């Protein structure tokens, strides 16, 4: 089994989501001085990044609300688990990058960062489709994200 394949990952990503993520990654690559490749739609992470022969995986989210609107950002528990396993298996790093309407920030995902985080089972008010499943998530506190830029 391909460790980066993720059944159901990114299955609700729109074309606009992809464009927004690429815009974030283009800006981020200039800050982090790295090259990047957009991964196929059903891979676990959004991007493969390299700098000085070191590899990192990047998951990007784009939100229309201001950073301070909600106290946390959700990430599917199984997706986070698989991302951490890949990082451990490959001795690489995972970065969860969120672009809000007013700011962009990131959090490095690893076992220590996820252990003890609140979990919930949120219900979607406006699912994109009947196939969009609700799943248990980690609620990652906004306060733990490091700022990359403000818009």
């Amino acid at each position: 089994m391909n460790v980066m394949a993720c059944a159901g990952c990114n299955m609700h990503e729109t074309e606009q989501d992809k464009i927004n993520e690429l815009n974030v990654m283009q800006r981020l690559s200039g800050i982090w001085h790295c090259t990047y490749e957009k991964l196929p739609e059903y891979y676990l992470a959004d991007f493969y990044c390299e700098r000085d022969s070191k590899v990192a995986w990047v998951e990007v989210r784009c939100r229309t609300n201001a950073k301070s609107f909600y106290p946390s950002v959700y990430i599917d528990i199984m997706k986070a688990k698989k991302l951490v396993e890949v990082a451990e298996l490959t001795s690489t790093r995972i970065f969860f990058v969120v672009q809000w309407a007013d700011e962009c920030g990131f959090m490095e995902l690893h076992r220590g960062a996820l252990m003890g985080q609140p979990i919930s089972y949120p219900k979607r008010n406006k699912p994109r489709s009947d196939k969009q499943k609700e799943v248990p998530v980690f609620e990652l506190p906004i306060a733990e994200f490091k700022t990359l830029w403000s818009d």
Side-chain angles (χ1 to χ4, degrees):
M1 181 175 127
N2 182 337
V3 296
M4 289 302 287
C6 180
C9 289
N10 302 326
M11 59 190 264
H12 305 289
E13 194 171 59
T14 67
E15 286 305 311
Q16 188 61 52
D17 292 336
K18 293 175 189 176
I19 291 167
N20 294 342
E21 290 173 1
L22 281 168
N23 288 338
V24 169
M25 198 62 225
Q26 183 176 20
R27 192 166 175 186
L28 186 61
S29 69
I31 294 168
W32 284 351
H33 306 287
C34 65
T35 59
Y36 64 92
E37 295 293 333
K38 174 73 173 136
L39 294 168
E41 189 171 344
Y42 292 102
Y43 258 49
L44 187 57
D46 291 317
F47 296 93
Y48 170 96
C49 301
E50 275 190 55
R51 181 176 78 187
D52 301 328
S53 301
K54 293 185 180 178
V55 172
W57 310 97
V58 177
E59 175 69 10
V60 177
R61 289 280 167 75
C62 296
R63 296 289 175 248
T64 56
N65 57 280
K67 182 181 177 187
S68 62
F69 193 78
Y70 296 109
S72 61
V73 175
Y74 297 159
I75 188 166
D76 175 328
I77 290 173
M78 290 307 294
K79 182 171 192 159
K81 175 185 178 279
K82 290 176 184 179
L83 284 165
V84 168
E85 287 173 350
V86 167
E88 291 173 351
L89 180 67
T90 60
S91 299
T92 56
R93 297 168 78 180
I94 303 283
F95 296 101
F96 183 37
V97 176
V98 180
Q99 172 68 65
W100 290 277
D102 57 349
E103 193 171 311
C104 186
F106 77 97
M107 179 179 189
E108 185 171 357
L109 298 182
H110 51 81
R111 256 178 226 282
L114 296 172
M115 290 183 67
Q117 294 289 5
I119 61 171
S120 65
Y121 198 88
K123 301 292 182 184
R124 296 179 190 275
N125 292 328
K126 298 177 186 175
R128 290 185 183 179
S129 73
D130 290 339
K131 294 180 183 178
Q132 191 169 19
K133 302 296 181 198
E134 295 164 341
V135 297
V137 297
F138 283 115
E139 294 184 32
L140 304 176
I142 299 300
E144 294 185 20
F145 281 72
K146 296 177 183 169
T147 300
L148 289 161
W149 62 79
S150 296
D151 288 327

